[in-house]
Amino acid sequence: MSTTSLYRKYRPQKFGDMIGQDYIVKILHNQIQGNKVSHAYLFCGSRGTGKTTTAKIFASELTDVLDIFEIDAASNNSVQDVRDITDKVKYPPVRGKYKIYIIDEVHMFSGAAFNAFLKTLEETPSHVIFILCTTEPHKILPTVQSRCLRFDFRSASEKDVAKLLERVTKKENILIDKESIALISTAAAGAYRDALSFLETISSFANGSQITGSTVAMVLGSVPPEVLNALLDSVKKCDFKKIIETCGKIFERGVNAGLLVRNMLEQIKQRIIKGEDYMAIFRSFSELELSIKNSVDPRASFENTCLVAGIDGNAK
């Protein structure tokens, strides 16, 4: 395997490589074709969904690489940093038609920095385009947002993540089954970058051997489907002793509680698809998915949900 990390190696280089952000790609492509680009864009979305990658592709379609400037607002967020930008935008591009500034994690700008940046947004030179990327748009001043064309990047669906993993494993000759791809897709929680990072770690562990569900579970600290199904059987039967025993063994593995809940929901969905009555249990774990991140005791929250789900699922 190449020494270049998978997420860097398979980062999209053109709009045609993008997965899952079709409407954004179409709008940006149409703007380029129609020569109707905006002076400022705001790309919003959770990490790993393609904001910065899209910004780079868009910029490269519009101008020469010498006129593209990437700024990390996490470490360049002061008033002086913004003044450095505003002092330079007045100069024309070196070779291309535009000077493009990609500002990543723009929500990290201080309040004073945003205020200093606002005047430049209001009076942006015709040769300058700003692309602001953020995971937390609510932290950006409304006056800044209103001067940008906003795009909200969707978290990747498990189907789209699986599609990417299938393509990459085929090109890299990685031996893996569909169950393992599904488990990695779930663990990625909507982030393409995380999915490829997980795949790389698991592939290194397998060292050329076939990747199975057990391999994925061992590396990611998740739980094999057979264990989850056994736990679900205990929940359905209201076998409280078995529930506590199985939960104890699961958490001894050091599993990620959020991933555990998502995996449980996936197994429950499969049973519902088969026509089994698991809706009450599904509702219990759906509610847990929303609260598990903020739980002070994830293990207790999970065990309690299993117990209550069993009671609710068998209520007459």
Side-chain angles (χ1 to χ4, degrees), residues 41-174:
Y41 294 83
L42 179 60
F43 289 178
C44 310
S46 56
R47 66 187 185 85
T49 52
K51 301 181 299 299
T52 306
T53 294
T54 303
K56 290 179 179 180
I57 294 172
F58 186 45
S60 66
E61 291 281 340
L62 290 170
T63 197
D64 187 272
V65 67
L66 295 175
D67 295 310
I68 300 173
F69 305 91
E70 295 183 46
I71 300 165
D72 179 12
S75 53
N76 300 277
N77 50 30
S78 69
V79 173
Q80 186 55 54
D81 290 321
V82 170
R83 285 176 179 163
D84 289 342
I85 297 172
T86 57
D87 287 344
K88 294 174 182 176
V89 296
K90 58 188 177 184
Y91 300 111
V94 176
R95 292 180 59 178
K97 183 177 180 180
Y98 299 104
K99 289 179 73 173
I100 299 178
Y101 291 84
I102 300 172
I103 306 179
D104 205 7
E105 301 299 339
V106 70
H107 61 271
M108 298 293 286
F109 272 178
S110 66
F114 267 127
N115 287 327
F117 185 55
L118 184 58
K119 184 172 177 58
T120 301
L121 273 184
E122 292 173 335
E123 302 174 1
T124 305
S126 60
H127 62 267
V128 171
I129 296 173
F130 289 106
I131 306 176
L132 315 180
C133 302
T134 180
T135 55
E136 301 185 55
H138 59 280
K139 292 185 178 180
I140 299 175
L141 295 176
T143 48
V144 172
Q145 293 201 39
S146 66
R147 286 165 174 78
C148 301
L149 189 60
R150 174 170 171 165
F151 292 98
D152 289 282
F153 285 67
R154 303 185 184 96
S155 294
S157 69
E158 290 186 14
K159 181 179 180 181
D160 283 338
V161 173
K163 186 188 301 182
L164 173 63
L165 292 174
E166 287 170 357
R167 186 174 73 192
V168 171
T169 52
K170 184 176 181 180
K171 287 186 177 181
E172 295 290 322
N173 296 315
I174 296 173

